Amino acid sequence: MDHYIDIRLRPDPDFPEPMLMGALYNKLHRALFDLEANGIGVSFPLCKHGVRARTLGVHLRLHSTQASLEQLMASNWLAGMRDHVSVSDVLVVPNHAKHINVARKQFNTGSLSRAKRYAKRHDISEEAARQIYAKVAEKRIELPFVQINSRSTHQRFALFIEHRKPQEEPVAGTFNHYGLSNNATVPCF
Amino acid sequence: MAKNDTLKTASVLAFERKLDPSDALLYASSWEKREDEQQWQPVAVREKSVRGTISNRLKAKDQDPAKLDAAIENPNLQTVDVATLPHNADTLVARFSLRVLAGAGTPSACNNAEYQAKLEQAVAEYKQAQGFGELAHRYANNLANGRFLWRNRMGAEQVEVSIRQLAQGKAIKEWTFDALSLSLRAFEDTAELKELASVIAKALAGELHLLLEVVAYVRMGRGQEVFPSQELILDPEQKKKKGKTLYHVSDIAGIHSQKLGNAIRTIDTWYPNENDEDLGPIAVEPYGSVTTQGKAYRQPKQKADFYSLLDNWMIKDQVPSKEDQHFVMATLIRGGVFGEAG
């Protein structure tokens, strides 16, 4: 985790930023899946939280070792996005960097299938379960998200991303094919 | 040059569009067998219902906390249209035809003969000095780089654009481009692009009848979502029923001809750009308007819009700069009704 690459979206009259970031992140997921990479993390230094303005921003940062980043960039995964982004070289992480965990967060959004399962498990009517879950569905989510097509399950879903508090010491670990981890940290600067 | 005091803008002044695309229809195929038309399957639009939480960004007027609570209490039940490739096909095929018509700069309606004569003289001078080479070169780029695929281009692994020149229903010439190797921001100059540009220039100048068939093969992966045009639904009752309606022609998903035209004429790099924004070309529009940004880059205040430039040219004999001449001509090729309101 001592190197990084900055990818910034270039302003585009035809496409809004969240759509471009979505396309970029989907491509990254595809590349990490194809490379079976588990040592590349992401962070979004300009992302915004809050119910009213949550977006991943225009800045995607890739973290890893120099060798893995070079391997990723050699795979031409940005084809089709080239004109929409500016990409830095592989750079060395500055000394003063702190460490941050960037993770997927899943929410119970009170979906119908969940209510159905609840009804089965607790042996109540579906109607009653739906009423219990109606409250859950009201919950507001403050995290930025991106629409993703999973490469393995082919499901399309909203991936909510949480940047936890920066800490002094790094935590080692593996990253999934979205560049996220439940415990490992990436540098934050 | 003498100032022309008597000439007035025609109150009726209209131009036909000279680049006339059809709708694009979308098919699915496999990359290896992409050229075998028999194997194409139509991409269908289907409905799905989703129940989500409120996740869109709220409009400023909805940001009052009381209203926000109300909005969040309504679970986001939606029926939307989607279109995807089937699971046995990894390639999207988009096909349309494009007619290039002669007579750029000649109005289809004009009620002032003197004005028309002046206009024709100016167009003749432009043809003489610049020719249609620069415009044709830019149009050719936008066909070859697959800009007309819009969102479908972004998710692609590979894009091949094949352009056939048709005569009596047969292809007499064909060009093939690797679209992703061509930039969306700069206009490039390969031998093939030059050839294509030269037939477009000839057609605009009236030396040639030109009908092109454009087929784009977009490799995106099995089962991936594709993006036909979205229909604008004005009726609020219908709007309530469905959050998103996609365009289709007899059950085949499609992209509107307007959307294709807009992409092909995204060639205006001559607009004033004070903040030096890294924007790239915008579509040729009289006020340089970019709807996704709600912004007009050619403001009448700066005298950079089509009407100011044209009036100065015709009425005041102030010939615009070379770049602005290109823009004015491109707007005439785009077509529209430009007469002065009584």
Side-chain angles (χ1 to χ4, degrees):
Chain A
M1 292 289 137
D2 48 354
H3 284 73
Y4 71 100
I5 293 178
D6 275 340
I7 302 180
R8 285 166 207 271
L9 298 178
R10 298 167 69 179
D12 191 293
D14 292 322
F15 301 111
E17 284 158 8
M19 181 198 290
L20 287 171
M21 187 50 91
L24 177 65
Y25 202 21
N26 272 290
K27 275 195 184 290
L28 177 67
H29 166 56
R30 206 186 287 172
L32 295 178
F33 178 88
D34 291 346
L35 286 173
E36 295 179 29
N38 57 16
I40 296 180
V42 299
S43 66
F44 297 89
L46 297 178
C47 75
K48 291 201 182 82
H49 289 70
V51 178
R52 283 160 209 182
R54 51 221 179 98
T55 131
L56 289 174
V58 296
H59 186 177
L60 168 71
R61 191 172 270 168
L62 298 174
H63 305 269
S64 190
T65 60
Q66 184 168 8
S68 326
L69 289 174
E70 276 168 2
Q71 188 198 4
L72 171 68
M73 296 316 280
S75 73
N76 200 28
W77 66 280
L78 278 170
M81 280 299 292
R82 289 243 174 250
D83 291 310
H84 301 289
V85 294
S86 57
V87 183
S88 77
D89 294 330
V90 178
L91 302 167
V92 182
V93 170
N95 286 330
H96 63 81
K98 292 195 166 185
H99 304 275
I100 190 171
N101 172 255
V102 184
R104 173 173 184 196
K105 189 111 193 214
Q106 275 171 285
F107 294 91
N108 178 356
T109 52
S111 70
L112 280 181
S113 54
R114 249 180 205 267
K116 262 187 203 159
R117 213 174 55 204
Y118 186 91
K120 229 182 208 171
R121 217 167 354 130
H122 293 81
D123 204 19
I124 56 173
S125 74
E126 268 186 36
E127 186 50 41
R130 228 171 289 157
Q131 277 181 8
I132 294 169
Y133 270 71
K135 282 220 173 63
V136 181
E138 290 167 15
K139 207 164 58 181
R140 53 177 104 167
I141 300 171
E142 300 199 340
L143 293 180
F145 71 102
V146 63
Q147 287 285 340
I148 281 271
N149 287 301
S150 162
R151 187 72 159 165
S152 52
T153 65
H154 297 293
Q155 290 295 315
R156 190 169 164 78
F157 63 96
L159 175 67
F160 289 91
I161 294 175
E162 182 177 42
H163 288 66
R164 303 215 175 105
K165 279 207 176 70
Q167 56 201 59
E168 294 298 329
E169 291 306 317
V171 178
T174 58
F175 293 84
N176 63 18
H177 294 153
Y178 301 103
L180 304 173
S181 175
N182 279 330
N183 47 19
T185 58
V186 296
C188 165
F189 48 92
Chain B
M1 236 183 262
K3 213 168 181 179
N4 193 332
D5 293 325
T6 54
L7 192 61
K8 289 228 162 52
T9 304
S11 60
V12 176
L13 181 64
F15 295 83
E16 282 173 350
R17 64 169 165 272
K18 299 300 179 192
L19 294 174
D20 191 15
S22 68
D23 285 333
L25 295 186
L26 304 184
Y27 301 88
S29 173
S30 67
W31 184 256
E32 283 71 30
K33 294 186 189 147
R34 61 188 180 276
E35 271 159 45
D36 182 0
E37 213 178 298
Q38 304 305 319
Q39 308 248 357
W40 296 358
Q41 323 162 40
V43 171
V45 170
R46 62 173 201 272
E47 263 185 16
K48 74 173 178 190
S49 295
V50 290
R51 178 180 205 241
T53 46
I54 305 284
S55 55
N56 58 314
R57 200 194 286 219
L58 293 167
K59 287 184 211 121
K61 68 173 172 62
D62 297 333
Q63 288 190 2
D64 161 23
K67 272 196 191 147
L68 189 65
D69 286 341
I72 282 165
E73 274 167 30
N74 299 323
N76 199 4
L77 283 176
Q78 281 193 316
T79 304
V80 293
D81 274 350
V82 286
T84 57
L85 294 179
H87 282 278
N88 59 2
D90 64 350
T91 299
L92 171 73
V93 183
R95 178 167 69 178
F96 66 97
S97 62
L98 174 70
R99 271 193 312 159
V100 183
L101 302 168
T106 311
S108 58
C110 178
N111 62 353
N112 182 333
E114 215 182 327
Y115 186 89
Q116 183 164 354
K118 181 75 198 264
L119 184 68
E120 273 166 17
Q121 184 201 333
V123 172
E125 278 166 20
Y126 172 86
K127 260 160 101 169
Q128 183 77 41
Q130 323 278 352
F132 289 111
E134 178 64 28
L135 297 182
H137 169 229
R138 294 179 175 224
Y139 295 137
N141 262 276
N142 280 337
L143 291 172
N145 67 21
R147 184 194 289 279
F148 55 84
L149 294 164
W150 295 91
R151 273 183 87 173
N152 300 302
R153 184 186 191 276
M154 239 185 289
E157 293 163 43
Q158 266 172 293
V159 180
E160 185 180 282
V161 176
S162 144
I163 300 175
R164 295 181 197 118
Q165 180 183 350
L166 300 182
Q168 273 109 44
K170 281 200 194 102
I172 53 170
K173 183 93 196 140
E174 178 168 352
W175 299 271
T176 306
F177 300 95
D178 172 5
L180 295 186
S181 72
L182 296 168
S183 172
L184 289 177
R185 301 231 169 203
F187 299 102
E188 302 183 38
D189 225 355
T190 66
E192 289 213 297
L193 275 169
K194 272 189 190 144
E195 256 182 52
L196 176 61
S198 95
V199 293
I200 294 175
K202 276 189 188 147
L204 288 170
E207 297 161 26
L208 184 80
H209 277 287
L210 185 59
L211 176 64
L212 297 174
E213 184 186 52
V214 182
V215 186
Y217 306 100
V218 189
R219 186 174 201 171
M220 27 208 333
R222 288 156 196 264
Q224 288 290 314
E225 185 171 15
V226 302
F227 303 97
S229 287
Q230 202 169 327
E231 295 273 44
L232 182 64
I233 306 291
L234 292 172
D235 175 15
E237 277 310 303
Q238 262 194 329
K239 210 171 188 169
K240 249 185 242 164
K241 276 188 212 144
K242 198 156 30 170
K244 184 158 92 173
T245 306
L246 296 177
Y247 181 55
H248 52 96
V249 187
S250 50
D251 289 330
I252 307 177
I255 302 177
H256 289 147
S257 59
Q258 288 87 342
K259 207 105 184 108
L260 302 175
N262 184 288
I264 295 167
R265 66 167 185 275
T266 299
I267 62 165
D268 183 3
T269 52
W270 311 295
Y271 56 92
N273 189 351
E274 282 153 1
N275 310 330
D276 250 350
E277 286 172 276
D278 169 33
L279 261 187
I282 62 174
V284 168
E285 292 292 330
Y287 293 109
S289 48
V290 173
T291 41
T292 52
Q293 295 193 329
K295 197 170 165 184
Y297 283 88
R298 290 179 170 272
Q299 295 280 348
K301 224 171 34 197
Q302 304 158 299
K303 302 277 172 219
D305 65 304
F306 169 73
Y307 297 101
S308 303
L309 291 168
L310 184 70
D311 287 352
N312 284 344
W313 196 355
M314 296 301 129
I315 313 281
K316 298 187 190 150
D317 278 322
Q318 294 171 2
V319 179
S321 68
K322 208 169 99 182
E323 287 78 18
D324 283 337
Q325 289 183 32
H326 286 317
F327 166 70
V328 170
M329 282 309 301
T331 314
L332 297 180
I333 289 170
R334 166 196 180 269
V337 179
F338 303 128
E340 197 159 89

